[in-house]
Amino acid sequence: MATVEGAVMPAMSRRNVLRVLGGGAMVGLAGCSRSQADPVSPTDNGSGEPGSVLQSLSFDLGDLVIGLPEDHGVSQISLVEPDGTVFASVNPDFAATTVRMAIADPEIGDTDYVHYTPGVHELVAKVGDETERQPIELLPEVSITGIRLNGGGERLLDSGKVVVQIENRGSAPTWAHDITFEEAPNWTVDTPISDFPGIPFIGGVPIESVVIPPQGRQEYVSTAAPAVFDEATSVECAGEEFVFRISVGIATGEVLSTSVRLTAEGNPGTGTTGGRFVCDSSRIEVLDG
């Protein structure tokens, strides 16, 4: 069956370190405090508790969107991580009824990225001399829900790539940053998962749509092409079968992995420099799950 390897968080990004240092290592706001006992999820919290200044919570890609009432009097909202450190803070304009807080931002092309620690966080709103606290659950739950061969592309061998569909049934956004292979027919693509979640080694997704929202799904195209054959092999596109593993790196540190069977069928496409080709009617099926 498909497996999820240990959810070890990647090292805290430089931006997160600066946010913690800038906001104080631990949250501690003076004044009276009001707390909501049960954590909420932005996916099911369309409206806040009666009397709460945190009227609504939702997501726009990797931003947590917080709805405030008119004349709210909120001077600061902080997101506190499960270990008590301040992840981020915003200072709403007194006339604003909506504020945004980036919690999952891959910052494409940069090793610096933003990603919360999965778990139950706390939103802390400072209203005059009072402090309102609201537990909030940020727990992505991702899985591989489909794998197919790429239908084409600008280059000849793009059809030898795979498309992986990832679904997020959790309560917070995240993203996939790498697709790798083990014992693939094209042995040159057997590589380990990248250590840099902020530089997605995937294709097929616009930069602004890399993030998988809660209760959403996304398709990613691998940058490597496992279903490519070399003329030096004995592959004739006559139904030869190859079993190998596909792994997907998630920004939380999780690695999703599953076994697939590739059946090489059809006709060899036009060869490329180096004598490589694809079988134009090949198919792939998931063996786990």
Side-chain angles (χ1 to χ4, degrees):
M1 59 182 297
T3 60
V4 179
E5 299 179 11
V8 179
M9 282 299 299
M12 181 180 289
S13 75
R14 176 169 53 83
R15 171 170 290 191
N16 283 357
V17 171
L18 292 175
R19 287 184 175 188
V20 170
L21 294 177
M26 303 292 289
V27 63
L29 302 177
C32 300
S33 178
R34 293 184 297 165
S35 297
Q36 305 293 340
D38 298 325
V40 299
S41 165
T43 59
D44 59 19
N45 189 47
S47 58
E49 296 290 332
S52 172
V53 294
L54 305 173
Q55 287 200 328
S56 65
L57 302 174
S58 60
F59 286 113
D60 182 12
L61 297 178
D63 288 352
L64 176 62
V65 182
I66 305 167
L68 303 172
E70 294 183 358
D71 303 320
H72 50 75
V74 177
S75 59
Q76 185 180 71
I77 301 175
S78 298
L79 180 66
V80 182
E81 296 206 274
D83 65 357
T85 58
V86 177
F87 178 80
S89 294
V90 293
N91 302 103
D93 185 280
F94 287 112
T97 57
T98 300
V99 295
R100 305 170 73 94
M101 184 181 294
I103 68 166
D105 183 357
E107 299 194 13
I108 304 298
D110 193 345
T111 55
D112 191 17
Y113 62 96
V114 174
H115 200 291
Y116 58 91
T117 301
V120 177
H121 294 59
E122 189 174 47
L123 278 173
V124 181
K126 188 173 182 181
V127 189
D129 293 331
E130 293 190 348
T131 300
E132 181 176 323
R133 300 173 182 271
Q134 172 64 68
I136 174 176
E137 181 185 79
L138 299 178
L139 288 171
E141 183 182 339
V142 293
S143 60
I144 297 173
T145 53
I147 295 177
R148 60 181 173 82
L149 290 174
N150 192 28
E154 297 180 358
R155 298 179 300 176
L156 179 64
L157 297 183
D158 281 347
S159 57
K161 298 178 179 180
V162 299
V163 180
V164 181
Q165 184 182 84
I166 305 295
E167 184 174 12
N168 181 6
R169 297 182 179 180
S171 58
T174 189
W175 68 86
H177 67 90
D178 199 10
I179 301 173
T180 63
F181 309 94
E182 182 180 350
E183 299 184 353
N186 179 10
W187 62 269
T188 64
V189 304
D190 288 6
T191 57
I193 292 286
S194 165
D195 292 330
F196 302 104
I199 306 179
F201 289 89
I202 50 178
V205 182
I207 290 177
E208 66 273 12
S209 302
V210 169
V211 173
I212 316 170
Q215 308 305 313
R217 62 184 60 181
Q218 185 63 271
E219 286 192 336
Y220 299 92
V221 181
S222 64
T223 56
V228 170
F229 306 100
D230 192 286
E231 289 181 348
T233 67
S234 58
V235 175
E236 299 179 350
C237 303
E240 297 93 337
E241 294 184 345
F242 304 88
V243 175
F244 58 101
R245 290 193 70 78
I246 297 178
S247 296
V248 181
I250 306 298
T252 58
E254 297 180 36
V255 176
L256 310 180
S257 185
T258 189
S259 293
V260 297
R261 178 187 292 113
L262 172 70
T263 303
E265 295 179 326
N267 300 304
T270 304
T272 65
T273 302
R276 296 185 300 164
F277 64 94
V278 295
C279 299
D280 61 11
S281 297
S282 293
R283 51 191 171 87
I284 196 168
E285 59 181 315
V286 176
L287 299 180
D288 299 340

